[in-house]
Amino acid sequence: MTFPSSEEIKPRLRAFFSSRFVIIEAGQSPAVGATTETSGVPLFDASDITLAAVLLEVALAVTVEPFFFTISGCALPPPPRRRRAMAVHGRPTKRARRTRVTAEPCLLDMRAFPGATERAGAATFRANVRGFLASHASPAPPPAPAEWGQDQEAVLGDAGAVWQVGFRVGGDGEAAVVVMDVVEEDVPRARRVHCDHCTVAGWSRHPVCGKKYHFIIRNDNMPRCKTCRRCGLMVELFQTRCPSCSHGSGFAPDESEDWDYVQIDNPSHLLHGIVHENGFGHLVRINGHQGGSSLLTGYQLMDFWDRVCRYLRVRKVSVMDVSKKFEVDYRVLHAVATGCSWYGQWGFKLGSGSFGITSETYCKAIENLSSVPLSHFFPHSRSPRNQLQDTIAFYQSLSKCPLTTFRDLFLYVLGLVANKSVHNHLVTMHKKEIVYDVDLREGNWTDEEIKRAVDVALKVLRAADSWVAMRSLKAATAHPIGSPELVDYCLKTISGTRTFDGMVVVVRCNSETNTIEYRLTNETMLPPKNASLPTQEHLLRDIKFLYDALLCPHTMHPYKPEQIHDQAKRSAMVLLDCKQFLNHYDLEEDFLPQNQSALHIWCQVELLDQVDDPPSLPAELLTLPQTATVADLKMEAMRTFRDVYLMLQSFVPNQLLDCPTAGDTTQVKLLFGAKGTVHIQGKCVGGERRVAIYRMERGVDKWTVNCSCGAMDDDGERMLSCDLCQVWQHTRCAGISDFDQVPKRYVCSSCKLLHKPKMYSSFSNKRCKTAGSFSHASGGLWRSHIG
């Protein structure tokens, strides 16, 4: 097929532009009155027509599709057709519900994207996520009917569009592809309007945003699951009856709103994060190797999520830390070993502890529990050692530095599990607290004294001619050597020592007896490499045992003094009750873009028509030119809040509370500077129904939390309400165990003092919310596995 040349295209373009522009020939000045301001017709340079014709000729030369489109009656070939979107599981692609200009789909480097310091150009999340999807995303294919057992529409139907971004994992020779789904959920059309995660995170009074985005990396190796509505266990999609309680688990799409969200809420996702249009988000789950990931560890997934949030300028992210690792509650184990939660490595701090726990109480609990001396478990008595004492002594004998506290012990064991030296991994965050680079040769022993001690140990091993446990070897050499410190130094450095007759000292770890054993043998009988270290299975078993004996408040091993034991038990309970953590990205110094030509103003709105129980409107970031006036500020505030929040579709700003006398022509920079904060008072005109539905993320129900522990909002724990005052409080604070059923009738202690028994003797059945919004926020009984 032949294409027209630039000379053939030029007359057609000239005729096209002549009907829309005033063409200025080369060397000709624009005539008076032929300007846009007077005639309303823009000017167009004739030299640009020649340039456009040349560029179009080049574009046509690389065109591979022989179809045409028409410009002003002239048939011209279009640009090349874009490649089709990446197909997943071999399914064909489907056009997205909304038209969006997308770039050519290409694979991004997952471990490098988007760079350590790179950030998107816009100042707000909503602008950056749209640019990200336009540049790197492709429309996702619809789900296969076979996965659902019936013909289903795309995820969320008309309430959302799904986009996919491809990432490359690994090197050039071993590269694999990981696809991240981005679900753009249109909240007004969705079945779930309110966010349970916001309720637990402390943002229950935020107004409902118009959109929220789900960032999902699926686990294709795991079966698709749904939750049994009776027992809460995970059931595969194709199963029509729960194997645990025999309850019918299948349901039609019109019978439950959860059907549309099965794909989104799948607990086997490797990564699932939600970000509202205002930049407030939630990390729902991370599943590393122990959660079924074959390519990425939990650390790599979390690091990727953190880089994505920084790149898109997400403001705040909450996470409900109910993760499991090594079959224990990892938030307690990691806090004791390192001084912070696992998410604390990326800046997450305690947001709101359950049962009214404050950040100061949380930090004090970590310090109290991690500093418990291990010497409390070795009383001065000749009674036989128990399993706990043997396990602690085993790792003390392995370590080349003293292990004296809970933190020392668990930090060392976790370092062994990670197959890394504790000098290089976990301890780097606590260089001031724990120093492992100490010289083993603490005493002022001479070389002759050390040689004599080694000779004594070699003599004992030669006489035994078999494996000797460390404890027995210590007892046999303690008297001849004299110094206990010199004995420890000798036994920890004797491995590999050769004798005059060619024998060598070998060391092995006996997993059955939990001891280190020594033997003098010839080189032909050497044990395998690393035989002196415990196996991975041995380490995991000991972590579970040590956690139950030292850190779990329900199974903690008793020890004296009892005061220290009781304090440790209370501290462990505090760490268990602290699950909600927040990362405040918007408080970092480099959060705002470095643009000297623009003003960045945080705008806080106060609503005049929402006096009774008003919503809590977060401040929104406004980007204005340097010469912006107060009128421009009001207009931008109105546009921004209308775009973000559904209840503010008719919002109209009235005045600036900071400067009520400022005129509309006053420059904003003179009032607030380049990076300031402004408070604007306004109201919503009409739309009462819209305001009622979208006022708060907590929903339309009005409920009050006032517990004796100090909690004033839903913190995700199990609660019940009083049958008289309807005030909610924790079942635990009311004296009801988490494992006991809620009574049919309940009256709080305050109402008992005010009312006689006959007034509440015939109330209806008790209302109770099992973990409140926590049932959705934590993903049911399926917990994240971050390993």
Side-chain angles (χ1 to χ4, degrees), residues 311-338:
Y311 175 74
L312 298 178
R313 298 190 191 277
V314 177
R315 293 176 58 180
K316 301 179 189 295
V317 173
S318 71
V319 60
M320 177 74 74
D321 189 358
V322 290
S323 55
K324 286 283 190 178
K325 192 172 183 179
F326 313 129
E327 299 182 7
V328 302
D329 292 299
Y330 198 55
R331 64 182 179 276
V332 179
L333 179 61
H334 197 277
V336 171
T338 65

Side-chain angles (χ1 to χ4, degrees), residues 122-196:
T124 59
F125 163 77
R126 61 184 179 277
N128 289 327
V129 72
R130 292 165 187 166
F132 172 74
L133 295 178
S135 301
H136 305 292
S138 301
E147 297 181 2
W148 302 94
Q150 53 184 306
D151 189 15
Q152 289 290 325
E153 298 293 334
V155 178
L156 301 181
D158 293 335
V162 184
W163 308 88
Q164 290 185 335
V165 184
F167 290 92
R168 183 180 64 256
V169 179
D172 296 335
E174 301 178 354
V177 176
V178 173
V179 178
M180 180 177 70
D181 294 342
V182 181
V183 181
E184 181 183 355
E185 184 176 357
D186 193 3
V187 176
R189 299 186 179 185
R191 293 186 178 180
R192 292 183 186 175
V193 174
H194 306 105
C195 179
D196 295 325

Side-chain angles (χ1 to χ4, degrees), residues 86 88-89 91 132-133 137-141 155 161-167 178-184 213-220 224 263-264 269 271-273 304-305:
M86 290 177 294
V88 181
H89 305 302
R91 298 194 296 270
F132 172 74
L133 295 178
S138 301
V155 178
V162 184
W163 308 88
Q164 290 185 335
V165 184
F167 290 92
V178 173
V179 178
M180 180 177 70
D181 294 342
V182 181
V183 181
E184 181 183 355
Y213 296 84
H214 300 261
F215 299 83
I216 298 173
I217 297 180
R218 301 177 184 271
N219 185 359
D220 295 329
R224 301 297 175 89
Q263 297 181 76
I264 294 179
H269 289 326
L271 169 67
H272 183 193
F304 168 74
W305 170 251

Side-chain angles (χ1 to χ4, degrees), residues 712-731:
M712 303 298 293
D713 203 351
D714 188 358
D715 56 8
E717 300 296 339
R718 188 173 181 235
M719 290 185 175
L720 81 166
S721 65
C722 174
D723 287 316
L724 280 179
C725 62
Q726 307 301 322
V727 175
W728 293 83
Q729 59 180 315
H730 297 116
T731 55

Side-chain angles (χ1 to χ4, degrees), residues 7 13 124 169 179 298 313 506 527 566 742 786:
E7 293 299 327
L13 290 177
T124 59
V169 179
V179 178
R313 298 190 191 277
V506 294
D566 295 340
V742 175
I786 57 180

Side-chain angles (χ1 to χ4, degrees), residues 422-644:
V422 289
H423 309 285
N424 303 329
H425 185 51
L426 295 172
V427 184
T428 55
M429 295 183 293
H430 303 274
K431 295 179 181 178
K432 297 181 180 179
E433 300 181 22
I434 306 173
V435 180
Y436 280 94
D437 295 328
V438 295
D439 190 354
L440 291 176
R441 190 169 173 173
E442 296 176 347
N444 296 322
W445 310 302
T446 63
D447 293 340
E448 291 296 329
E449 291 176 322
I450 296 176
K451 184 177 183 304
R452 185 175 65 86
V454 171
D455 291 340
V456 171
L458 292 176
K459 184 177 180 180
V460 174
L461 293 176
R462 191 183 295 275
D465 194 24
S466 61
W467 291 103
V468 179
M470 173 178 279
R471 189 177 181 183
S472 301
L473 188 57
K474 276 187 176 182
T477 57
H479 180 71
I481 296 178
S483 171
E485 293 79 9
L486 182 56
V487 173
D488 289 338
Y489 174 79
C490 174
L491 296 185
K492 291 180 179 181
T493 58
I494 198 175
S495 177
T497 302
R498 297 180 182 275
T499 63
F500 64 91
D501 55 352
M503 305 291 281
V504 61
V505 178
V506 294
V507 184
R508 77 175 184 182
C509 173
N510 191 330
S511 299
E512 296 181 359
T513 59
N514 227 5
T515 57
I516 298 296
E517 298 178 339
Y518 299 83
R519 185 175 184 177
L520 193 63
T521 183
N522 55 48
E523 295 188 11
T524 60
M525 300 176 58
L526 293 179
K529 189 177 180 181
N530 295 331
S532 60
L533 296 177
T535 63
Q536 194 80 355
E537 181 181 357
H538 184 181
L539 289 170
L540 298 182
R541 182 193 66 197
D542 283 349
I543 286 180
K544 180 67 168 64
F545 171 74
L546 290 173
Y547 174 86
D548 292 338
L550 303 179
L551 302 183
C552 182
H554 307 296
T555 58
M556 187 176 291
H557 193 281
Y559 55 87
K560 295 182 179 181
E562 295 182 359
Q563 181 180 2
I564 302 296
H565 173 264
D566 295 340
Q567 184 184 57
K569 192 172 183 179
R570 290 192 300 268
S571 299
M573 201 67 198
V574 169
L575 298 186
L576 270 181
D577 290 337
C578 292
K579 311 179 187 72
Q580 191 63 239
F581 295 88
L582 295 177
N583 196 344
H584 301 270
Y585 292 101
D586 54 354
L587 298 183
E588 299 177 357
E589 295 182 359
D590 59 342
F591 177 77
L592 295 179
Q594 302 301 320
N595 186 0
Q596 301 296 332
S597 62
L599 304 178
H600 299 291
I601 306 296
W602 289 102
C603 180
Q604 186 75 52
V605 166
E606 177 182 317
L607 298 177
L608 287 173
D609 53 342
Q610 299 289 322
V611 179
D612 185 21
D613 192 24
S616 176
L617 279 166
E620 292 296 328
L621 184 62
L622 308 181
T623 303
L624 301 168
Q626 287 280 348
T627 59
T629 63
V630 172
D632 298 330
L633 174 64
K634 292 181 179 179
M635 185 63 65
E636 182 65 19
M638 181 178 67
R639 185 190 65 82
T640 299
F641 282 89
R642 284 185 175 186
D643 289 346
V644 175

Side-chain angles (χ1 to χ4, degrees), residues 38-172:
T38 57
S39 64
V41 181
L43 305 179
F44 196 88
D45 197 330
S47 60
D48 293 337
I49 297 180
T50 304
L51 178 60
V54 175
L55 295 177
L56 188 54
E57 179 185 11
V58 175
L60 297 179
V62 297
T63 301
V64 295
E65 297 290 346
F67 55 88
F68 296 85
F69 68 94
T70 302
I71 294 183
S72 186
C74 302
L76 295 177
R81 177 181 295 174
R82 299 185 184 275
R83 291 184 298 172
R84 299 186 68 187
M86 290 177 294
V88 181
H89 305 302
R91 298 194 296 270
T93 59
K94 178 182 180 181
R95 185 182 300 275
R97 184 178 60 84
R98 295 178 180 85
T99 303
R100 185 188 297 272
V101 179
T102 58
E104 291 287 338
C106 59
L107 295 179
L108 305 173
D109 190 349
M110 190 172 195
R111 299 184 182 180
F113 177 83
T117 59
E118 181 184 356
R119 282 195 172 181
T124 59
F125 163 77
R126 61 184 179 277
N128 289 327
V129 72
R130 292 165 187 166
F132 172 74
L133 295 178
S135 301
H136 305 292
S138 301
E147 297 181 2
W148 302 94
Q150 53 184 306
D151 189 15
Q152 289 290 325
E153 298 293 334
V155 178
L156 301 181
D158 293 335
V162 184
W163 308 88
Q164 290 185 335
V165 184
F167 290 92
R168 183 180 64 256
V169 179
D172 296 335

